[in-house]
Amino acid sequence: MRKNVLRRNAALAIGCVLLLCACSQPATSATASLDTAQATPEEAGHYPVTITNYDFAGEEISYTYTQAPERVIAVYQGSIETMIALGLENHVIASYGLDNEVKEEWKAGFAEMQYREDVFAPDKETVTMLQPDMILSWGSLFSDKMLGDVQTWNEKGVATYMNSNTRPGGHARTLENEYTDILNLGKIFDVEEKAQRIVEEMKTEIARVLEAVDGQNPVRIAVVEPMETVLSNYGANTLAGDMVMQLGGELANPDGKEMGKEDLLACDPEVIFVVYMAYSGENPESVIAAQLAAIEDDPALASLSAVRNGRVYPIMLGDIYAAGPRAMDGIQTLAKGMYPEAIA
């Protein structure tokens, strides 16, 4: 488990280190070289579409699409599953980097995603040989030494899109960002109605929960991931923290990024969600049990309200981090743990 966590953190750290040295730059623009000559009349009426996203330094960069990309490389869970949820699997020529199995409802689409298990993420040379017209991934991978530089790809007529909640620079990670990504991809591929439905389902679920618990006092929540010596705390600037607050909860430690046991005891949350990751080949139940045990079976934490009252619950990282359409699962898991008597 620790090795898997280190692999995830290593990928994220690359973007963070570069950002510390990055200077502010004005937003740049690139024009797509995708040919509209073969576009259908419906496509021609929809395009051109200009979308603002980000480069490896976290700066805004715009790209104009003149038709739907047809040779997409999708890297990481949310990228893969968003394409499937939008019915765009036939636009993908290669996909990489699943942390978890796709949901049952997406397995038929996943079978068409040209998934490659040889590496977790391709290098720039491999991407170049695949001749994509779009690369969809996390911000931490868009370096020149990994997938390649955003602006360089754009100048070659290859679109890039990073999940907004992986944008380098310490920006808040929010549900609104997940909504924006889904809607932007809907615009890029001219499937806006599908994208709107996915987003509206999430908003409707949050509204349903808030209505069901109207008048109740906020529940004090902590979302933590046991690491080697500390607890990684999902505070107010994380997607998980934003979900908790949108569901009417109160974060026990909104500001901290890491906590010791003493910190967790001091804020004494009523409910604790324990983050887990189960990579391909691992037994999810064993991973969950080990993560829960780090909180529930630690004598130093026995006095916590959440432990004493049996309110320590697992939550999958993929549902609360760069989640795409899986954000719905995160919303539902949090809601059931926060309001077990009110939420069916």
Side-chain angles (χ1 to χ4, degrees), residues 8-23:
R8 174 175 63 86
N9 289 345
L12 297 174
I14 294 169
C16 296
V17 170
L18 181 62
L19 177 70
L20 294 175
C21 303
C23 300

Side-chain angles (χ1 to χ4, degrees), residues 2-3 11 22 26 43 48 56 106 127 179 183 186 201 234-235 238 267 277 285 290 308 319 324 327:
R2 301 280 68 82
K3 180 170 63 178
E43 288 175 328
F56 187 58
W106 295 330
V127 174
Y179 299 158
L183 295 173
E201 284 173 2
Y234 289 71
T238 68
C267 64
M277 257 186 318
E285 296 304 317
R308 288 187 290 104
D319 293 347

Side-chain angles (χ1 to χ4, degrees), residues 128-150:
T128 300
M129 287 189 293
L130 288 168
Q131 298 183 318
D133 56 12
M134 182 180 188
I135 307 166
L136 177 62
S137 188
W138 281 13
S140 58
L141 286 187
F142 279 110
S143 72
D144 189 58
K145 293 183 179 180
M146 300 184 79
L147 291 176
D149 174 69
V150 164

Side-chain angles (χ1 to χ4, degrees), residues 205-206 208-210 213 219 243-244 247 273 311 313 315 328-344:
E205 180 65 9
I206 291 174
R208 182 184 77 86
V209 171
L210 293 177
V213 299
V219 184
M243 288 178 173
V244 166
L247 288 165
F273 291 94
R311 302 194 69 186
Y313 307 110
I315 189 164
M328 173 64 94
D329 297 72
I331 290 166
Q332 293 174 332
T333 298
L334 290 168
K336 289 175 183 176
M338 292 165 67
Y339 311 113
E341 296 178 359
I343 304 302

Side-chain angles (χ1 to χ4, degrees), residues 151-336:
Q151 191 156 350
T152 300
W153 281 120
N154 290 174
E155 289 170 353
K156 293 177 179 179
V158 178
T160 56
Y161 195 97
M162 71 173 62
N163 178 286
S164 296
N165 278 331
T166 68
R167 176 188 181 185
H171 301 275
R173 296 166 178 167
T174 65
L175 263 176
E176 191 62 39
N177 284 343
E178 298 296 335
Y179 299 158
T180 295
D181 288 343
I182 294 168
L183 295 173
N184 277 347
L185 288 169
K187 293 174 184 175
I188 290 167
F189 290 92
D190 196 13
V191 289
E192 291 181 87
E193 289 187 8
K194 288 182 180 179
Q196 285 284 357
R197 281 199 300 272
I198 293 170
V199 170
E200 286 306 313
E201 284 173 2
M202 294 186 203
K203 292 182 176 181
T204 298
E205 180 65 9
I206 291 174
R208 182 184 77 86
V209 171
L210 293 177
E211 182 178 5
V213 299
D214 185 42
Q216 292 188 21
N217 291 328
V219 184
R220 195 168 63 258
I221 307 296
V223 182
V224 299
E225 183 176 357
M227 308 295 278
E228 291 292 345
T229 58
V230 296
L231 299 169
S232 181
N233 176 54
Y234 289 71
N237 284 333
T238 68
L239 177 58
D242 186 54
M243 288 178 173
V244 166
M245 293 185 291
Q246 290 212 34
L247 288 165
E250 175 185 290
L251 290 170
N253 187 353
D255 300 323
K257 295 180 181 178
E258 291 184 348
M259 291 194 293
K261 295 177 184 179
E262 299 80 4
D263 301 312
L264 187 60
L265 289 165
C267 64
D268 194 23
E270 298 171 72
V271 180
I272 299 174
F273 291 94
V274 181
V275 179
Y276 73 93
M277 257 186 318
Y279 285 104
S280 177
E282 290 185 310
N283 183 336
E285 296 304 317
S286 297
V287 174
I288 292 170
Q291 289 295 88
L292 290 176
I295 302 296
E296 294 178 320
D297 298 344
D298 189 334
L301 301 176
S303 64
L304 285 169
S305 298
V307 173
R308 288 187 290 104
N309 295 323
R311 302 194 69 186
V312 180
Y313 307 110
I315 189 164
M316 191 172 74
L317 179 69
D319 293 347
I320 56 166
Y321 190 95
R326 268 191 192 263
M328 173 64 94
D329 297 72
I331 290 166
Q332 293 174 332
T333 298
L334 290 168
K336 289 175 183 176

Side-chain angles (χ1 to χ4, degrees), residues 89-132:
E89 52 267 24
N90 63 334
H91 292 253
V92 177
I93 59 167
S95 63
Y96 301 81
L98 284 180
D99 285 336
N100 310 278
E101 286 191 17
V102 300
K103 294 171 63 175
E104 191 65 34
E105 66 199 76
W106 295 330
K107 285 188 176 178
F110 179 65
E112 306 299 319
M113 289 284 284
Q114 313 298 323
Y115 185 70
R116 306 192 178 193
E117 298 187 65
D118 51 333
V119 294
F120 193 73
D123 56 23
K124 182 174 60 175
E125 289 71 24
T126 300
V127 174
T128 300
M129 287 189 293
L130 288 168
Q131 298 183 318

